[in-house]
Amino acid sequence: QVHLQESGPGLVKPSGTLSLTCAVSGDSISTSNWWNWVRQSPGKGLEWIGGIFHTGNTDYNRSLKSRVTISVDKSKNQFSLNLTSVTAADTAVYYCARGASYHHYCLDLWGQGALVTVSS
Amino acid sequence: DIVMTQSPDSLTVSLGERATISCKSSQSVLYSSNNKNYLAWYQQKPGQPPKLLMYWASTRESGVPDRFSGSGSETDFTLTISSLQAEDVAVYYCQQYYTTPPTFGQGTKVEV
């Protein structure tokens, strides 16, 4: 059974960098799936941040593109999110999610989520 | 970006009754070459991540009870729960994956 688990600091200072990792267990990250980050805040609902394939190909939401980097570490079977220059508006629950085999932006498996608060 | 709009924002339904949620997209999500609607539905219970219920607008994900059904095409879609059970209390989201960025509706809260 495949399982996704987010980890990272729960508190980030304004103007700092939010960094999260998603560990994939039960399957190799080097499958035909894309691996995605989605966030959920009360103000903006569910927002897709971006996704990555194991080859390193990425796609980002253009609303965040200048601040986002998603990377993959095949040796550790995990992928990561970096979001720079954060503000209070970036406070949210961050989910990692697997893209389905039939379409990489249809998200068929989600992690439990990590709450990240941006505050000094 | 494609804007997804759901209605109503919340819905109160008696146990055993039908619940119907509408989702409208700002442009068609029907891909003509394969005649598929790039529309998914998710269920989110409190304190849990979203769970995929339906894809291609009307295909149930494995393990999803058949009281859940999806319909619609192009820009207008519906999620129906034919006989509401207590465990169906949740927020339901539609999502288009026709184009990047994939976008979600604002959610519909279903209560008993």
Side-chain angles (χ1 to χ4, degrees):
Chain A
Q1 186 174 353
V2 185
H3 183 71
L4 306 180
Q5 182 66 59
E6 304 88 349
S7 61
L11 182 64
V12 181
K13 288 184 168 30
S15 77
T17 297
L18 180 159
S19 296
L20 293 172
T21 295
C22 180
V24 179
S25 59
D27 198 4
S28 170
I29 203 168
S30 299
T31 61
S32 58
N33 302 94
W34 274 66
W35 305 94
N36 298 271
W37 288 98
V38 177
R39 68 182 183 180
Q40 185 172 33
S41 60
K44 293 197 73 174
L46 287 163
E47 181 179 29
W48 178 80
I49 299 169
I52 191 165
F53 195 56
H54 66 86
T55 55
N57 285 5
T58 54
D59 187 20
Y60 300 132
N61 193 322
R62 53 180 156 269
S63 68
L64 298 167
K65 189 171 186 175
S66 62
R67 300 194 291 132
V68 171
T69 303
I70 298 175
S71 58
V72 64
D73 186 337
K74 290 185 281 187
S75 67
K76 294 183 179 178
N77 218 44
Q78 64 187 32
F79 62 107
S80 300
L81 168 70
N82 271 12
L83 181 66
T84 61
S85 305
V86 296
T87 69
D90 295 308
T91 294
V93 176
Y94 286 77
Y95 295 100
C96 56
R98 183 181 70 182
S101 58
Y102 44 84
H103 197 285
H104 46 281
Y105 296 145
C106 188
L107 308 174
D108 68 351
L109 182 68
W110 296 62
Q112 279 299 117
L115 173 61
V116 179
T117 301
V118 178
S119 175
S120 55
Chain B
D1 297 0
I2 297 178
V3 177
M4 308 300 291
T5 304
Q6 293 181 229
S7 61
D9 289 334
S10 65
L11 184 61
T12 302
V13 178
S14 300
L15 291 175
E17 295 301 305
R18 179 185 300 262
T20 302
I21 301 168
S22 171
C23 173
K24 295 184 187 294
S25 56
S26 61
Q27 65 185 74
S28 175
V29 299
L30 173 65
Y31 192 39
S32 55
S33 66
N34 60 9
N35 201 37
K36 287 184 182 292
N37 288 283
Y38 285 53
L39 190 285
W41 288 97
Y42 298 85
Q43 174 194 63
Q44 186 176 31
K45 297 181 179 180
Q48 296 184 20
K51 171 191 171 185
L52 179 65
L53 287 181
M54 208 81 63
Y55 56 95
W56 301 135
S58 60
T59 302
R60 270 188 300 274
E61 175 74 336
S62 175
V64 173
D66 61 6
R67 64 179 179 273
F68 291 91
S69 63
S71 62
S73 188
E74 296 191 48
T75 61
D76 290 274
F77 300 91
T78 300
L79 176 70
T80 301
I81 309 172
S82 61
S83 176
L84 192 79
Q85 305 300 302
E87 61 265 32
D88 300 334
V89 168
V91 180
Y92 293 84
Y93 297 92
C94 61
Q95 177 223 354
Q96 66 80 20
Y97 50 99
Y98 179 83
T99 187
T100 186
T103 49
F104 296 84
Q106 81 278 16
T108 295
K109 186 174 186 178
V110 174
E111 299 173 299
V112 174

